[in-house]
Amino acid sequence: MDEKDKFFLRRAIQLAKQARKNGQEPFGAVLVKNNEILAEGGNQIYATSDPTAHAENAIIRDYCQRNKLMNLEGFSLYCSTEPCMLCSGAVLYARITKIVFSVSQKMLQKISGGTPKTDCRTLLKPHQRIEIIGPILIEEGLKVLEGYQFKKSNLIS
């Protein structure tokens, strides 16, 4: 992990704050290649009535559609929270090379009171080409989740 990783991760955390302010779940993600942000966004599940509109999944989908790409090899994904099973699948199928995250799934489940979810390292372990860095900048990531009520969320089931 270097200073650029921290810079992009802080942007993902900032997007999570914005998503929370906008009435969405507090998650954000940034897609980067060659140290340039190419796509970014926050969670949009309530705004779109789409349970798959997680920040990571949405920016991968939108970027690929806009650019008519299926392969994001050489791209990095920065996430305010460790990618869930859905988003880990998107990373795998898009062939993203690197994931950097702040809050782990284990930490998130402790906060949300939800059932334990499989972490992305376990899900992606057979695919060793994906570099996974995290959790890092934990205090900054946890601050976004502080006091958030996950009652209406699928995270608690």
Side-chain angles (χ1 to χ4, degrees):
M1 175 195 59
D2 59 24
E3 289 304 313
K4 289 179 183 176
D5 286 334
K6 289 180 183 178
F7 173 81
F8 294 125
L9 185 55
R10 284 189 172 109
R11 178 63 184 148
I13 292 168
Q14 184 179 38
L15 291 163
K17 288 178 192 174
Q18 189 61 48
R20 182 175 177 171
K21 284 182 188 174
N22 293 339
Q24 301 300 309
E25 290 193 338
F27 305 108
V30 176
L31 189 64
V32 173
K33 184 171 185 185
N34 298 325
N35 295 314
E36 180 182 352
I37 295 175
L38 299 175
E40 63 179 22
N43 187 285
Q44 302 171 20
I45 64 172
Y46 300 124
T48 60
S49 297
D50 178 357
T52 69
H54 296 192
E56 303 92 332
N57 202 39
I59 66 170
I60 291 168
R61 181 187 317 116
D62 293 345
Y63 183 82
C64 287
Q65 287 174 346
R66 272 196 331 266
N67 294 283
K68 301 192 182 325
L69 292 173
M70 296 286 291
N71 185 331
L72 300 182
E73 202 164 337
F75 286 69
S76 298
L77 183 66
Y78 295 84
C79 314
S80 61
T81 301
E82 181 177 8
C84 67
M85 292 183 282
L86 171 75
C87 297
S88 292
V91 165
L92 176 64
Y93 284 104
R95 302 190 60 78
I96 290 172
T97 308
K98 178 177 167 183
I99 299 169
V100 181
F101 66 89
S102 177
V103 176
S104 71
Q105 280 293 318
K106 189 174 186 176
M107 292 174 201
L108 176 62
Q109 295 313 309
K110 187 175 181 182
I111 293 166
S112 71
T115 56
K117 308 284 191 295
T118 306
D119 62 87
C120 74
R121 276 192 179 83
T122 302
L123 292 165
L124 298 172
K125 186 177 182 177
H127 310 281
Q128 295 178 2
R129 64 172 178 74
I130 303 171
E131 178 183 8
I132 302 171
I133 300 172
I136 62 170
L137 303 178
I138 298 166
E139 291 83 20
E140 293 175 44
L142 286 173
K143 190 169 178 81
V144 177
L145 301 170
E146 206 170 84
Y148 184 77
Q149 297 298 312
F150 286 97
K151 291 179 191 166
K152 63 182 180 178
S153 164
N154 291 332
L155 291 173
I156 61 170
S157 58

